[in-house]
Amino acid sequence: MRHRLPGTPLLDPREAAMCPKTAQADMSVMASVESIATKLEVIVVPVSDVDRAKAFYGRLGWRLDRTPPGIVQFTPHGSDCSVQFGPDLTAAAPGSSVAYLVVSDIAAARDAVVAAGVEVGGIFHVGPDGPVDGLDPERRSYFSRASFRDPDGNTWLMQEITTRLPGRVEGGLTSYGSASDLAGALRRAAAAHEEHEKRTGQRDDDWPDWYAAYMVSEQSGAKPPE
């Protein structure tokens, strides 16, 4: 038995063959939906004590935003998505939330959170048989992580990402959330460019263009320059 959401037309290839106009209309609706820019801007975190949660997220250095009464909103530095909590925002159990925080340097990020007085688990990486203590030996993007919890037990998993998988960023757009992220990208580009010059055996006077292409490829998942 196939299941569908209420109000959603059910269509398979056989039905499409019998109803070409319906299939065409369905494809048109899908194309229209895909063209709508839909930005994820807020996630709701379930907490039992709003004042305690407010003090915790303030200690992390996240920006406290102006909101209507009954809503507290914080935005992590460099993030387009904010976190909200309040007494009547969700029926979810306090501590049941799990979310990712993407960082460009997991070691520096962990040190900063620890310095803010927050208990953070040790850095680990994903191995063939599960989590392994320590940084990923090859410092591969997506592999190194560390986690911490807020006073209610909501989990925040920090994940080091420097090079995106292909297709992760639309249109090849490149942006950096902070000066430290940009500096890290420049350092990686410099190291890669040094290897590029070793391979070619000559100085590259067009290094700014090479740097730019490399930094865009990191975020878009495109093939880096050779």
Side-chain angles (χ1 to χ4, degrees):
M1 178 181 292
R2 287 175 294 172
H3 298 275
R4 55 175 171 165
L5 296 174
T8 302
L10 183 61
L11 192 68
D12 65 18
R14 291 171 296 178
E15 293 169 329
M18 292 184 289
C19 307
K21 291 184 178 180
T22 302
Q24 184 177 8
D26 188 68
M27 292 176 63
S28 177
V29 170
M30 180 60 70
S32 176
V33 169
E34 291 177 348
S35 67
I36 298 175
T38 309
K39 301 178 181 180
L40 178 62
E41 293 200 356
V42 175
I43 61 172
V44 177
V45 176
V47 303
S48 59
D49 187 320
V50 172
D51 290 334
R52 182 178 66 176
K54 185 175 180 180
F56 175 82
Y57 288 103
R59 192 158 71 247
L60 288 176
W62 295 6
R63 186 188 72 228
L64 177 61
D65 299 326
R66 295 181 62 182
T67 56
I71 299 175
V72 178
Q73 176 171 304
F74 282 92
T75 304
H77 182 56
S79 175
D80 290 328
C81 186
S82 303
V83 176
Q84 282 187 358
F85 49 86
D88 303 309
L89 291 186
T90 177
S96 61
S97 173
V98 178
Y100 279 73
L101 295 171
V102 172
V103 299
S104 60
D105 186 327
I106 190 69
R110 182 183 183 279
D111 288 346
V113 176
V114 170
V118 176
E119 183 177 349
V120 185
I123 294 174
F124 65 94
H125 65 276
V126 180
D129 300 317
V132 180
D133 289 343
L135 288 165
D136 177 65
E138 300 174 40
R139 208 65 183 265
R140 290 171 294 178
S141 193
Y142 293 94
F143 280 74
S144 298
R145 305 172 185 181
S147 66
F148 63 91
R149 299 177 186 272
D150 73 3
D152 283 285
N154 294 301
T155 300
W156 293 96
L157 186 64
M158 296 187 292
Q159 181 179 31
E160 182 177 274
I161 299 178
T162 53
T163 302
R164 294 285 184 176
L165 293 172
R168 178 63 179 80
V169 177
E170 295 182 358
L173 298 177
T174 302
S175 63
Y176 296 93
S178 66
S180 60
D181 281 354
L182 176 57
L186 285 167
R187 291 189 186 96
R188 293 190 298 275
H193 188 259
E194 183 178 352
E195 294 301 316
H196 163 70
E197 289 187 325
K198 288 180 180 178
R199 288 193 301 271
T200 61
Q202 59 186 7
R203 174 181 170 80
D204 178 17
D205 291 328
D206 293 327
W207 63 266
D209 294 333
W210 199 98
Y211 272 42
Y214 183 88
M215 292 165 70
V216 169
S217 73
E218 273 198 333
Q219 291 200 357
S220 66
K223 182 180 179 181
E226 298 180 353

